[in-house]
Amino acid sequence: MRILLITWNYPPKLGGMEIMLFQLVKHLSPYAEVDVIGPFSDEVEAGNGIVVRPGHRGLLYYFIFSLISGFRILHANSYDIIVGGSALVSPIACTLGWLFRLPVIAITHGLDLIYPSFAFQGLIRFFLPRCRQIVANSRMTLMAASKRGVPHRKICIIHPGVDSSEFAVPTKGDSVKEKYGIQDRLIILCAGRIAKRKGILEFVRYSLPLILERHSNVAFIIVGENPILSLAHREDMKSRIESEVTRLRFNKNVLFLGYVDRQELINLYHECDVFVLPAIEIEGDIEGFGIVLIEASAAGKPVVATRTGGIPDAVEHGKSGFLVAPAAWNDLADIIGKLLSDDVLRKKLGNLGHERVKKEFDWTVISRQFMELFSTVGHGGS
């Protein structure tokens, strides 16, 4: 089977959508050849199929490039389906699908559906219902697609996946605790692009003081950078969080690591005691799923997050971790404090989360779900 994937979200860009689509292409390789029209990059990559990229940055340039390149590629080769990597590119995918009479599948992530632009909303409300099938990454995303005119029969949920084998063991050598001089600390970890909706600033301001009252030996580690290449986020949250840490005199308890490579992140997952995603509700923004939550679970760590967006699909409350209401900072502090005080409970939740990831979220499972859908649609199914 041959698939053309059109996506604005693809490495070397960083983020959940980018990781998910890259891993999808990688894990479809035993079943299909996937060619990609991706965003601008200075890097040259090799792998299954081809990756075609524009020579300049910019969304408008990308749209024009994708239409022209897509036309040339589809004219020169035989494909079974076109896949749009997000709602953003659905106009391109649908236009090419109409021209070449190919079925179109759009993968949606949450934020790409609710972006508060009148023109954008008009475009996706016109094009998304005309796709043959919509893939939603969570129940929340399914509802958002439905509200934009997509019939329920055209929407299915396929969650993002993780490669469980990647989290089997940490790298040998000096531990993360030794590297950062925190051997005697309990570690709370938060990772991902530092968008306002992540709630990290508010967590530092309202929850961390309560946690430190009970556990003065805690190190809160933040991994990630401002999402400067994002279309939806341009705020400098990192500086705001650093200022709040200084104001509260938590500099010895908060480590801001910025960007770290993949293996370093995996080591941090393994050495943390609790992973937290304190997402808040922001108009025009949303946490579509929370891949970092299942990554932490894959490493056998308990997770604590807020019950918003697609997060409840990633966390099984009371089994792989705990969910609290958004902005319930006292509750968040209480649950994290309880976990930090109970080694047995942390291990129990971590083990349950690990088993759930292997059973429900491993890419061997998720890639088959995608391939079954692609095969059905590509061979004339609905």
Side-chain angles (χ1 to χ4, degrees):
M1 189 174 198
R2 195 164 188 186
I3 301 166
L4 179 62
L5 170 64
I6 302 170
T7 178
W8 170 256
N9 302 98
Y10 206 70
K13 287 185 173 184
L14 302 174
M17 284 188 268
E18 288 77 6
I19 293 172
M20 179 267 166
L21 291 168
F22 177 80
Q23 291 292 333
L24 176 61
V25 172
K26 174 183 175 181
H27 288 89
L28 285 179
S29 60
Y31 315 106
E33 182 176 352
V34 185
D35 299 325
V36 181
I37 299 177
F40 170 83
S41 172
D42 292 321
E43 301 176 13
V44 178
E45 65 264 90
N48 179 59
I50 60 172
V51 181
V52 177
R53 298 181 184 272
H56 302 280
R57 302 182 188 275
L59 184 60
L60 179 59
Y61 189 90
Y62 173 79
F63 266 61
I64 297 170
F65 172 85
S66 297
L67 280 170
I68 295 172
S69 297
F71 184 89
R72 289 173 177 170
I73 292 170
L74 290 165
H75 183 71
N77 304 281
S78 177
Y79 287 84
D80 297 289
I81 59 170
I82 299 171
V83 177
S86 68
L88 174 69
V89 299
S90 59
I92 303 168
C94 285
T95 300
L96 292 171
W98 293 336
L99 289 172
F100 290 90
R101 297 186 178 182
L102 288 173
V104 174
I105 297 174
I107 301 173
T108 56
H109 309 268
L111 178 58
D112 59 329
L113 292 172
I114 69 167
Y115 184 69
S117 160
F118 180 79
F120 176 77
Q121 288 296 321
L123 280 173
I124 66 170
R125 287 174 184 271
F126 179 81
F127 284 102
L128 278 181
R130 288 162 173 79
C131 294
R132 185 70 61 84
Q133 189 78 34
I134 302 295
V135 176
N137 66 346
S138 66
R139 288 168 290 178
M140 179 280 302
T141 303
L142 182 151
M143 291 187 288
S146 179
K147 289 178 180 178
R148 282 150 183 83
V150 182
H152 270 270
R153 60 180 172 79
K154 283 191 172 187
I155 314 172
C156 66
I157 295 176
I158 303 180
H159 298 303
V162 297
D163 185 348
S164 296
S165 64
E166 189 180 22
F167 296 86
V169 290
T171 301
K172 293 181 180 179
D174 292 342
S175 73
V176 168
K177 288 189 175 184
E178 291 172 343
K179 180 176 180 178
Y180 296 107
I182 51 173
Q183 294 92 326
D184 60 340
R185 304 289 190 93
L186 292 166
I187 296 177
I188 304 170
L189 176 65
C190 184
R193 290 188 294 182
I194 308 171
K196 182 174 175 57
R197 73 166 187 270
K198 302 291 184 178
I200 302 171
L201 175 65
E202 290 79 5
F203 178 80
V204 168
R205 181 179 293 160
Y206 302 118
S207 293
L208 192 58
L210 300 175
I211 294 169
L212 291 175
E213 284 180 8
R214 296 173 57 184
H215 299 278
S216 60
N217 63 332
V218 159
F220 178 42
I221 298 180
I222 305 168
V223 174
E225 292 284 1
N226 288 319
I228 56 175
L229 297 179
S230 170
L231 294 177
H233 311 105
R234 295 299 172 92
E235 63 267 86
D236 182 8
M237 290 304 301
K238 182 177 179 180
S239 294
R240 293 182 63 189
I241 296 167
E242 288 174 331
S243 295
E244 190 67 11
V245 169
T246 300
R247 184 185 72 83
L248 293 169
R249 299 181 181 179
F250 287 167
N251 301 79
K252 292 183 179 180
N253 296 96
V254 178
L255 281 72
F256 225 131
L257 301 188
Y259 169 79
V260 301
D261 65 32
R262 184 65 178 169
Q263 193 55 61
E264 180 85 337
L265 176 59
I266 291 171
N267 290 345
L268 285 162
Y269 281 130
H270 277 285
E271 294 213 27
C272 79
D273 296 284
V274 177
F275 185 89
V276 64
L277 180 55
I280 57 177
E281 295 183 338
I282 300 288
E283 185 176 356
D285 199 0
I286 202 161
E287 192 69 32
F289 180 74
I291 291 177
V292 290
L293 294 166
I294 57 173
E295 288 185 341
S297 291
K301 299 300 175 177
V303 297
V304 180
T306 47
R307 193 178 287 105
T308 184
I311 288 176
D313 284 34
V315 180
E316 191 171 12
H317 180 66
K319 293 186 177 180
S320 65
F322 293 107
L323 296 170
V324 303
W329 305 114
N330 288 0
D331 293 344
L332 199 60
D334 286 344
I335 287 176
I336 292 175
K338 178 182 178 181
L339 284 169
L340 293 175
S341 300
D342 195 332
D343 295 351
V344 175
L345 179 59
R346 291 202 307 271
K347 187 173 182 179
K348 176 184 176 182
L349 294 174
N351 288 339
L352 288 171
H354 177 74
E355 291 304 313
R356 180 176 182 237
V357 167
K358 288 202 300 183
K359 181 180 178 181
E360 298 181 26
F361 297 109
D362 190 87
W363 269 115
T364 58
V365 177
I366 300 300
S367 62
R368 284 197 297 267
Q369 294 176 9
F370 271 103
M371 200 60 222
E372 288 171 5
L373 173 65
F374 292 167
S375 297
T376 299
V377 172
H379 292 96
S382 59

